[in-house]
Amino acid sequence: MKKLTKFLALTLAVAMSMAALAGCGGNTKPAENAEAPAAEATKVGFIYIGSQNDGGYSQAQHNGTKAVQEYFGDKVETIIAENVSEEKQTVKTTAMNMIDQGATIIVGTSFGFMDALDELATEYPDVTFLHFSGNKMNDKNFGNYFGAMEEPRYLTGMIAGMMTKTNKLGYVAAFPYTEVHIGIDAFALGAQSVNPNAEVKVVYTNSWGDPAGEKAAAESLLAQDCDIITQHADSAGPQLAAEAAGKLAIGYNLDNSEIVPGAFLTAPIWHHDKYLVPTIEKIIAGTYVPESYYGTMKDGYVGLAPMTDLVPPEVQAKVNEVAAKMEAGEYPVFVGPIYDTEGNVLVKEGETLDRAGIWTVMQSLVKGVSAVN
């Protein structure tokens, strides 16, 4: 009897053990409806030289960031650093802090960030670096991107050339750099294409972001009889100065028609999402190959803000006609003959500059442009 009792007890224990294993999932298939763990979001760090609501350059960059957030949803998490100086160690420290937080993509949005990102790309081979406006890159994890801003700049020159009453146009410029001169020259050529008597006066602020200095530069140009002000500078300062003086303004980076409704005509603007969204998508998919991207109006990367009602219908019609040709890739900006301020030939008659030619040749100011104080 004792042996039978022990046998029954042992049998019961084995049965209970088997049931326990089954309950814990031992040697069983997972439940059909069990959800796979959610994929971890890709973290992307964006470094701005200004604030995300500066009314100009950095706000335009931030609009691209917001487009990324909207497109990817919870698949991407963005980390943002504002008002970062171009001092190399500051940029590196900012980027490394983002990497420590898990960022695998770093986007630097100012030219002066280039050398720091170039070094970091070597130090962090598993992180992808994207740089706006620079010329350094590698074939592994560092690419750059920019756009043919000369196209919409030319169109804004056409507007100014047809609307000026004094034939004097003011241009607030950051630095006497090639990038800036390309924009000035494109604006001047656009104005001269419809008004051979148009002159462009330029004041350099020697700063990318100085709202007070930019406004003062515009005031200086207005005092010299310029009746339309445009700019290659970060803030809305020049546009505010023009409105206060009862004159007209062409902005840059953003549609500021609500900020300066009494002066704003239009602006050459960026659509950074046209580059950032597909590029980040490729990085996540593992198919990205570093490139030096140069977006055009045909790509939709650069464009013209909607012209306001201050621009006469006949002017809008003429500009829209040329814009349609640019969007079709049929209207290059720099076509010879083009002369510099001393009358020297920059571009020969019949010659058209491609991207490389533009950045090599158009470092001087063209005929009809003068730098003033």
Side-chain angles (χ1 to χ4, degrees), residues 16 28 107-108 123 178 192-193 211 216 229 245 291 305 308 313 342:
M16 292 177 65
T28 63
V107 183
E123 297 172 21
T178 300
Q192 293 164 8
S193 74
I229 300 295
E291 63 177 335
T308 68
E342 303 299 322

Side-chain angles (χ1 to χ4, degrees), residues 190-349:
Q192 293 164 8
S193 74
V194 294
N195 181 355
N197 297 316
E199 301 176 24
V200 179
K201 297 181 179 294
V202 181
V203 172
Y204 297 103
T205 63
N206 294 307
S207 170
W208 288 118
D210 178 4
E214 291 160 20
K215 185 178 180 183
E219 291 169 345
S220 171
L221 291 163
L222 291 162
Q224 296 178 59
D225 212 21
C226 295
D227 60 350
I228 298 179
I229 300 295
T230 190
Q231 64 185 89
H232 189 147
D234 286 1
S235 81
Q239 299 158 61
L240 294 168
E243 185 175 56
K247 303 300 181 182
L248 299 172
I250 293 169
Y252 178 43
N253 296 304
L254 289 175
D255 180 347
N256 280 336
S257 54
E258 294 184 1
I259 296 177
V260 281
F264 190 82
L265 301 177
T266 185
I269 60 175
W270 304 93
H271 298 289
H272 294 299
D273 56 299
K274 296 294 184 181
Y275 169 79
L276 291 171
V277 168
T279 301
I280 291 173
E281 204 160 35
K282 290 176 186 176
I283 295 170
I284 292 173
T287 60
Y288 171 72
V289 177
E291 63 177 335
S292 183
Y293 173 83
Y294 198 65
T296 63
M297 285 182 63
K298 184 177 181 179
D299 300 335
Y301 182 63
V302 295
L304 197 66
M307 290 176 276
T308 68
D309 291 342
L310 295 176
V311 182
E314 62 273 17
V315 174
Q316 294 199 32
K318 179 64 175 176
V319 171
N320 285 333
E321 179 184 339
V322 175
K325 293 179 181 178
M326 285 185 174
E327 289 167 357
E330 299 171 354
Y331 200 102
V333 169
F334 295 108
V335 179
I338 300 174
Y339 304 91
D340 67 14
T341 56
E342 303 299 322
N344 301 308
V345 176
L346 287 174
V347 184
K348 297 177 182 179
E349 185 170 1

Side-chain angles (χ1 to χ4, degrees), residues 129-200:
F129 296 85
L130 306 175
H131 181 231
F132 176 78
S133 77
N135 52 35
K136 290 186 177 181
M137 59 176 289
N138 64 34
D139 60 359
K140 299 178 181 64
N141 66 330
F142 185 25
N144 62 60
Y145 63 106
F146 200 59
M149 189 52 74
E150 60 269 13
E151 294 178 344
R153 289 247 187 233
Y154 183 96
L155 298 176
T156 62
M158 290 179 62
I159 295 169
M162 286 187 276
M163 292 186 65
T164 179
K165 294 180 173 61
T166 65
N167 288 330
K168 295 179 181 177
L169 310 173
Y171 202 115
V172 178
F175 293 97
Y177 291 170
T178 300
E179 175 195 341
V180 179
H181 282 172
I182 289 171
I184 295 170
D185 291 344
F187 176 81
L189 292 173
Q192 293 164 8
S193 74
V194 294
N195 181 355
N197 297 316
E199 301 176 24
V200 179

